[in-house]
Amino acid sequence: MVLPGSRYARRKLAYQLWAYVVIHVLVYPEDAREDMSAFLQTLKEPVARKAIRYLKDQKSEWLGRVTVLEGRRVRHRFWQPGGGYDRNITGIDALRAMIDYIHANPVRRGLVARAEDWEWSSARWYAGLRPVKLEIDARVLTELQMG
């Protein structure tokens, strides 16, 4: 299974996926750096819809974790409100640190013992485990090897 919207967002808006743990992503804009909000919307909307549908159908006990009250309206919010917490990475050491931080999130949360055990993480790809839910754009390896 591929995350909905990921291929479309990457192809149409020219971004490379370099690391992820659902719900963190590290992307590299190839051409249109000003389209970050469009990229995030294109990626996040279908993921949120599918995740919420899954929670409603299969894991109702988890649905409360994404349920918020906005005035009188009950909503399900998969992502944090706002545009995200983007960072500009300016060096290879910062890139490695960001990838390690992203991959360690499920371990820090006590969900798995090793980052590559979390099936919704690019840590599996970096560890050479296949198949993966989402292929990483291999240019990141060139960047990491150059550093």
Side-chain angles (χ1 to χ4, degrees):
M1 187 202 125
V2 174
L3 289 174
S6 65
R7 283 189 189 136
Y8 173 78
R10 289 160 64 181
R11 186 176 55 248
K12 182 176 189 310
L13 299 171
Y15 278 77
Q16 294 182 13
L17 181 65
W18 283 10
Y20 71 93
V21 167
V22 174
I23 59 174
H24 294 289
V25 294
L26 175 61
V27 296
Y28 178 80
E30 294 183 60
D31 296 320
R33 295 171 194 262
E34 67 277 357
D35 286 341
M36 178 60 77
S37 63
F39 174 81
L40 290 175
Q41 181 178 4
T42 303
L43 177 68
K44 290 166 73 171
E45 251 181 56
V47 169
R49 282 193 191 111
K50 189 165 187 158
I52 291 166
R53 187 176 334 112
Y54 174 81
L55 292 176
K56 286 179 177 179
D57 294 345
Q58 305 291 326
K59 302 283 186 182
S60 59
E61 69 275 10
W62 286 76
L63 190 60
R65 293 182 179 211
V66 298
T67 302
V68 295
L69 187 61
E70 293 179 349
R72 295 180 191 192
R73 188 173 181 195
V74 174
R75 298 191 59 174
H76 303 292
R77 180 177 288 139
F78 184 74
W79 302 101
Q80 289 180 338
Y85 300 97
D86 57 334
R87 310 276 188 281
N88 291 320
I89 299 172
T90 57
I92 200 68
D93 291 337
L95 175 60
R96 282 190 182 110
M98 185 60 65
I99 291 170
D100 290 344
Y101 172 83
I102 288 170
H103 289 160
N105 197 52
V107 177
R108 283 192 303 275
R109 298 286 183 186
L111 299 170
V112 291
R114 300 174 315 146
E116 58 269 19
D117 293 338
W118 187 249
E119 77 175 294
W120 293 99
S121 171
S122 59
R124 298 178 58 76
W125 185 87
Y126 281 90
L129 301 173
R130 304 291 189 272
V132 294
K133 297 286 186 189
L134 199 54
E135 289 290 330
I136 298 303
D137 293 296
R139 178 175 170 200
V140 70
L141 294 178
T142 303
E143 296 294 326
L144 291 170
Q145 290 168 351
M146 289 175 46

